[in-house]
Amino acid sequence: MLKTVNFQIEIITPMFLSGADQRKAELRAPSIKGLLRFWWRALQSTSKIDELIQRENDIFGSGGENGGGGSSFSLRVAYEHLETSKEKFPKHNIMVTSKSKGGTFSVNILEYLAYGTYEYKKGEGNVFLRDWIKPGNKFHIGMTFFKEKHINEVLKSMYVFSLFGGIGSRNRNGFGGFTILNFDEVFGSLSGIGSSKDAYSRDSIVSLVKKAENQPFMSFTQGTKLFRSKIIHNTWDSALADIGKIYRSARESLESKHSYEKRQYIGAPIIVNKKEKSFLDRHSKPYFLRIVRKGSQYHSYILYLPSQYAAGLDEDQFGKPINHAQVNDNFIKICDEMNGYLSKNMETVL
């Protein structure tokens, strides 16, 4: 008999999503399944990439010209209506200095975190390119399992996804956050996790971490860090603004304002005045900003997942050979600096 697990979900921070029609917000099962893959991999601790990919494909399915295998489960998304908006976010301004703009001016930290989802229009300011899904919307995810042996792994991936992930654009910056309303029901009997009643406790997070060195991909290995804001908020926007300011300050603290030698390791590309400042054309940041609702209050977290840097690449985007020992050493030291700043300005869970 096939096992089905149903998740009742509520969105808690604005979600930037679109389907075939780029102008309309749409929740799609493939997008969510792709994110679930990421969090499954984050729970692994092997450098044997071929074996990892084989296991991943056995669980999530694979495609390609040479034939692929089917997924071990199906995932369906259902909702009656999604209320959307193009409204500007509540103002939580910070002051920034710009050489190109010649002085100091204010920026909404929420717009800073949502960079890439809007464009500037004279007389209107930043205007969102498409609708975003408003917090408070609810939807349903149904998973039906065809292979019993993978049920625990998939559910554990969903568990971690629900704790630290988000759906849609800018999800690492705290957007697209959601809460599972029937959390205890779907995860209460799940093995390999800490207490589902206190999922963000040190003991619960430690249960996810493997005693392994950094992998070629971001994962819960030695060096994983979790930070929690010292302030509890009454709204999602003030909670996200809080850690947005801390994260930005941590990043800015690494070096002088117009230097990018260190900051390129936190996230790439870095483009200033249409010039590339990072030696990689793309590298996702290892930090995940997350807003968590508990009752009527909002808590803010930043998760750091370690990895090797530029794994699998022989050359940078300028054609220069990559010295992996050197860049990995740089990456660790720079993230340690970031984490040191975060630990001084936030509570350290792990």
Side-chain angles (χ1 to χ4, degrees):
M1 184 175 180
L2 299 180
K3 178 181 176 66
T4 297
V5 179
N6 296 303
F7 301 87
Q8 299 165 18
I9 297 173
E10 183 176 341
I11 297 169
I12 58 173
T13 59
M15 189 176 287
F16 297 97
L17 274 175
S18 61
D21 186 344
Q22 293 292 308
R23 298 167 298 177
K24 295 182 179 180
E26 180 185 358
L27 272 166
R28 300 176 65 248
S31 300
I32 294 173
K33 201 167 186 179
L35 290 163
L36 199 58
R37 272 184 185 257
F38 172 86
W39 289 104
W40 175 87
R41 184 171 284 208
L43 288 166
Q44 311 310 309
S45 59
T46 176
S47 57
K48 298 178 180 179
I49 299 299
D50 289 342
E51 292 181 11
L52 180 76
I53 292 173
Q54 185 175 352
R55 285 182 56 218
E56 182 179 313
N57 289 341
D58 189 36
I59 295 170
F60 293 95
S62 62
E65 293 179 1
N66 296 324
S71 175
S72 68
F73 68 102
S74 66
L75 187 151
R76 303 173 309 284
V77 177
Y79 50 86
E80 291 184 5
H81 173 71
L82 295 176
E83 188 178 357
T84 62
S85 177
K86 277 189 177 178
E87 297 172 6
K88 293 190 176 185
F89 291 148
K91 286 187 177 180
H92 295 274
N93 288 349
I94 57 173
M95 300 305 294
V96 300
T97 303
S98 171
K99 271 186 177 181
S100 61
K101 295 187 178 181
T104 301
F105 59 100
S106 66
V107 169
N108 186 347
I109 188 64
L110 298 179
E111 292 183 353
Y112 168 85
L113 294 173
Y115 181 78
T117 64
Y118 54 80
E119 63 182 0
Y120 178 79
K121 288 189 177 181
K122 192 173 182 180
E124 297 182 58
N126 292 328
V127 176
F128 288 109
L129 297 170
R130 58 178 183 266
D131 292 346
W132 45 268
I133 304 173
K134 298 177 72 171
N137 277 282
K138 296 178 181 178
F139 64 98
H140 169 96
I141 291 178
M143 292 183 189
T144 299
F145 296 92
F146 312 125
K147 297 180 182 179
E148 186 176 352
K149 65 179 181 178
H150 295 315
I151 293 175
N152 197 78
E153 277 195 86
V154 175
L155 290 181
K156 190 174 180 180
S157 303
M158 186 65 182
Y159 169 83
V160 177
F161 179 20
S162 74
L163 296 186
F164 302 114
I167 301 171
S169 298
R170 315 312 291 164
N171 65 74
R172 294 194 190 200
N173 280 357
F175 291 102
F178 61 93
T179 186
I180 296 179
L181 300 175
N182 58 337
F183 188 91
D184 291 339
E185 175 190 331
V186 294
F187 298 127
S189 61
L190 184 61
S191 61
I193 62 172
S195 170
S196 63
K197 295 186 182 300
D198 192 6
Y200 293 93
S201 69
R202 178 182 174 84
D203 288 345
S204 291
I205 304 306
V206 166
S207 71
L208 303 174
V209 176
K210 307 291 193 304
K211 293 182 179 180
E213 296 182 354
N214 291 354
Q215 304 301 315
F217 49 90
M218 295 176 197
S219 61
F220 287 90
T221 49
Q222 295 179 103
T224 296
K225 297 288 183 183
L226 180 64
F227 305 96
R228 177 175 53 224
S229 174
K230 297 176 182 178
I231 304 172
I232 299 173
H233 296 269
N234 294 320
T235 62
W236 71 263
D237 56 281
S238 59
L240 185 52
D242 176 16
I243 54 167
K245 292 173 183 177
I246 294 172
Y247 171 78
R248 183 181 182 278
S249 295
R251 190 171 174 272
E252 295 291 326
S253 73
L254 293 173
E255 55 196 340
S256 61
K257 188 170 291 293
H258 302 292
S259 297
Y260 308 97
E261 184 63 31
K262 291 184 177 181
R263 279 181 283 173
Q264 66 178 325
Y265 282 91
I266 302 304
I270 293 180
I271 302 173
V272 180
N273 295 328
K274 299 182 180 179
K275 292 183 179 180
E276 296 276 1
K277 297 294 183 178
S278 48
F279 68 88
L280 293 187
D281 59 354
R282 179 166 177 76
H283 190 279
S284 297
K285 68 183 181 184
Y287 292 93
F288 299 79
L289 281 60
R290 185 66 162 89
I291 304 305
V292 177
R293 191 183 68 195
K294 296 180 181 180
S296 60
Q297 296 180 315
Y298 294 83
H299 300 246
S300 313
Y301 291 86
I302 297 180
L303 172 71
Y304 163 70
L305 289 183
S307 70
Q308 297 172 21
Y309 196 81
L313 297 177
D314 296 323
E315 298 179 340
D316 66 19
Q317 66 167 321
F318 306 110
K320 296 180 180 179
I322 294 175
N323 182 331
H324 285 278
Q326 183 64 59
V327 298
N328 281 327
D329 186 55
N330 290 345
F331 188 39
I332 292 170
K333 288 179 180 177
I334 291 162
C335 289
D336 283 347
E337 284 187 51
M338 276 280 291
N339 293 338
Y341 185 97
L342 294 175
S343 68
K344 290 177 182 177
N345 292 274
M346 303 178 74
E347 295 176 356
T348 301
V349 178
L350 179 66

